[in-house]
Amino acid sequence: TQSTWGGGSGTPTKAKHHSAATTKVVGGDKDQVCITRAEVEQAFAFFDVSNSGVLKPRDLKTRLSAFYPHMTNKEYRFLISEPNFTVDTLWSLLENSTITNFDPVAEAFRVYDPAKTGYVDTEELKAIMGRMGYGEMTPDDVEVLIKTADVDGDGRISLEDFRNMLNFNK
């Protein structure tokens, strides 16, 4: 077994590791992302709020509602339609994926830029942080976040700033 973070409790849990540590490549030629089995297990554990080893639509809703507050229960059921959705199920989906031209960073960025301006919407950022339980952000809080992520110094967070911020944390 391998120690991972799970259940949202902030405590390490053990995740079954059924295959050797391998890497999957997701995405098209331009924006490929390599992901390891350990990273998939860590992501799965984050979504497995009940720490049962099986994801349910309600688990996704618990974790994703801060980012997608208008997503319906039907949409969550569509994402997790298999009754026994385990980490192995997720790994298999990645293994058999035929997704091309997919940029996961750009997809994540879209949550913060719903108007598609090319920059993080500060009101959306404040709303997401509030829904995540961080409370109301002051203008000073927003300024600190922007200055931290604004790599090119233009006073806004672009997709490239966002991408650089994520790469910086690796």
Side-chain angles (χ1 to χ4, degrees):
T1 60
Q2 175 179 335
S3 183
T4 61
W5 292 96
S9 63
T11 57
T13 60
K14 296 292 180 183
K16 297 287 183 201
H17 200 276
H18 296 291
S19 64
T22 57
T23 302
K24 300 287 178 223
V25 176
V26 179
D29 294 335
K30 179 182 161 213
D31 295 304
Q32 290 183 342
V33 174
C34 294
I35 188 165
T36 66
R37 173 71 187 215
E39 290 169 329
V40 170
E41 289 175 353
Q42 187 176 15
F44 185 91
F46 171 77
F47 285 105
D48 185 14
V49 294
S50 61
N51 205 19
S52 67
V54 177
L55 284 187
K56 301 290 183 196
R58 69 179 168 270
D59 295 323
L60 284 186
K61 186 172 186 174
T62 298
R63 293 297 192 203
L64 294 178
S65 62
F67 303 100
Y68 303 101
H70 304 294
M71 200 164 160
T72 66
N73 288 336
K74 184 177 180 179
E75 290 169 315
Y76 286 113
R77 285 191 304 272
F78 174 77
L79 291 173
I80 300 288
S81 58
E82 194 168 313
N84 194 30
F85 195 99
T86 66
V87 69
D88 291 325
T89 308
L90 180 57
W91 186 249
S92 180
L93 283 172
L94 291 171
E95 188 171 54
N96 299 315
S97 174
T98 58
I99 296 173
T100 58
N101 299 322
F102 176 72
D103 182 352
V105 175
E107 289 299 315
F109 182 79
R110 286 179 40 189
V111 172
Y112 297 94
D113 180 21
K116 299 178 181 152
T117 64
Y119 299 95
V120 167
D121 179 304
T122 56
E123 291 304 313
E124 189 64 28
L125 176 63
K126 288 173 18 179
I128 289 170
M129 297 302 274
R131 289 190 300 263
M132 290 176 65
Y134 292 108
E136 189 172 330
M137 292 182 66
T138 67
D140 288 341
D141 295 333
V142 173
E143 184 180 338
V144 167
L145 278 176
I146 291 172
K147 282 184 178 178
T148 302
D150 180 22
V151 177
D152 61 14
D154 67 356
R156 303 180 292 184
I157 303 171
S158 67
L159 173 58
E160 287 310 308
D161 291 330
F162 192 76
R163 192 179 306 282
N164 288 330
M165 179 186 64
L166 294 177
N167 287 334
F168 177 75
N169 289 320
K170 282 191 172 185

